[in-house]
Amino acid sequence: MTASPPPTAAHTTLNGHLQDKAKAPDALRHVILDIARAGRSIRHAIQTSEGGLSGGSNQFGEKQLKIDVIADQLMEQYLRESGHVACFCSEEHDDIVEIDPKAPYSVVFDPLDGSSLVDANFAIGSIFGIYPGSEIIGRAPHEQVAAGYVLYGPRTIFVYSTGSGVHAFLLNDEGEFVLLQEHMGVADTAKNYSPGNLSAIHDNPGYKKALDHWLDGMTLRYSGCMVADIHHVLAKGQGVFTNVGGSKYPEGKLRLVFECGPFAYLVEQAGGASSDGKASLLQKKIMTPDQRTPIIVGSKKEVEDVVQLLHS
Ligand code: AHG
Ligand code: MN
Ligand code: MN
């Protein structure tokens, strides 16, 4: 019998990458690692909650929490334990929740994005952004010091940026996030389009023009989960994702703080562009926790063309 080879450190871990490549300050590195750990627990909760997926009661008549609420509680627990978080802004809370005003960072997050897709077993995700200090209101997404997401699909993937490229990690069988792809890039032109809030074409003629332009030779890739749809853009290195307004949702359906802001940061880091129809989303001032904003994000030239069509 031959002895098995000793374990090797052939993989770059998320922790190693944050330390050696991103050169993230220790406290920031710890916050990002804590969010990745929360993601690992959320993934476990998604895979093990049965009737609790949409809330209600289980077969024993016991009340079960919605999976969004479970994900939110897991995020909160890890952020509280981190010791580096001043406050957080979550989709599941009406107001910003203070933890420790002296701590160095504030975290914004959507604990579960696309949760209505969970019964269909589509991919879903968690989104986060990190701001320095203890204020979120009054800031703009360009002030984030990091942003990222966890995608719970056939594989669980963690993607982050601290301002030096966008990097993807795969959750392995040992529960470790290991490097999958460094420096994800977005080309200037798009072949794929991902049109959210599409019913707005009926009362937004510019959006209808954008759709007609896409139908003329581009390929639809839309799942209904922003995390999966924008990950598609980053993974394929091209594409455009939109969610713009109509009469029902004049500003589109998505929130600036914890949905659009983090993705604007990531896609612009990867060489793409983001817009609310007027300017880069990175410059858009956060006024309230639940502020909605139109979003056009992805390949630069396509974002420019769509913005033009929206105004035509
Ligand atoms: P959430 O599950 O956090 O409420 O967000 C779902 C969002 C987003 O993921 C997706 O892009 C959008 O809702 C779907 O909008 P449409 O139904 O208009 O496609
Ligand atoms: Mn969401
Ligand atoms: Mn959500």
Side-chain angles (χ1 to χ4, degrees), residues 68 91-92 110-115 125 258-259:
D68 307 72
E91 188 190 8
E92 299 301 321
D110 178 350
L112 215 48
D113 177 71
S115 56
F258 42 74
E259 290 176 322

Side-chain angles (χ1 to χ4, degrees), residues 166 263-275 280-283 297:
V166 181
F263 275 117
Y265 182 92
L266 289 163
V267 172
E268 291 210 19
Q269 265 296 312
S274 77
S275 175
S280 163
L281 279 166
L282 293 182
Q283 305 303 328
V297 69

Side-chain angles (χ1 to χ4, degrees), residues 35-36 110 124-129 147-152 157-161 166-169 177 184 226-235 262-263 266-267:
I35 293 169
D110 178 350
I124 54 179
S126 303
I127 311 167
F128 69 92
Y149 59 86
V150 193
L151 175 62
Y152 316 103
I157 289 172
F158 183 90
V159 174
Y160 87 95
S161 177
V166 181
H167 317 292
F169 295 77
F177 284 102
M184 301 174 101
M226 180 187 206
V227 178
D229 290 325
I230 300 187
H231 181 72
H232 192 280
V233 174
L234 288 164
F263 275 117
L266 289 163
V267 172

Side-chain angles (χ1 to χ4, degrees), residues 15 21 39 44-45 59-60 62 66 88 108 114 126 133 154 170 304:
N15 188 24
K21 299 285 181 75
H44 184 255
Q59 54 176 320
F60 309 109
E62 292 160 346
K66 273 176 73 178
F88 68 84
V108 299
S126 303
L170 179 65
E304 278 167 22

Side-chain angles (χ1 to χ4, degrees), residues 111-179:
L112 215 48
D113 177 71
S115 56
S116 68
L117 299 170
V118 77
D119 52 359
N121 203 22
F122 273 33
I124 54 179
S126 303
I127 311 167
F128 69 92
I130 303 177
Y131 287 86
S134 56
E135 297 293 333
I136 296 167
I137 303 300
R139 290 190 174 274
H142 71 87
E143 294 178 78
Q144 291 170 109
V145 290
Y149 59 86
V150 193
L151 175 62
Y152 316 103
R155 311 197 284 180
T156 297
I157 289 172
F158 183 90
V159 174
Y160 87 95
S161 177
T162 52
S164 47
V166 181
H167 317 292
F169 295 77
L170 179 65
L171 184 63
N172 71 13
D173 287 344
E174 292 165 0
E176 188 79 63
F177 284 102
V178 296
L179 185 62

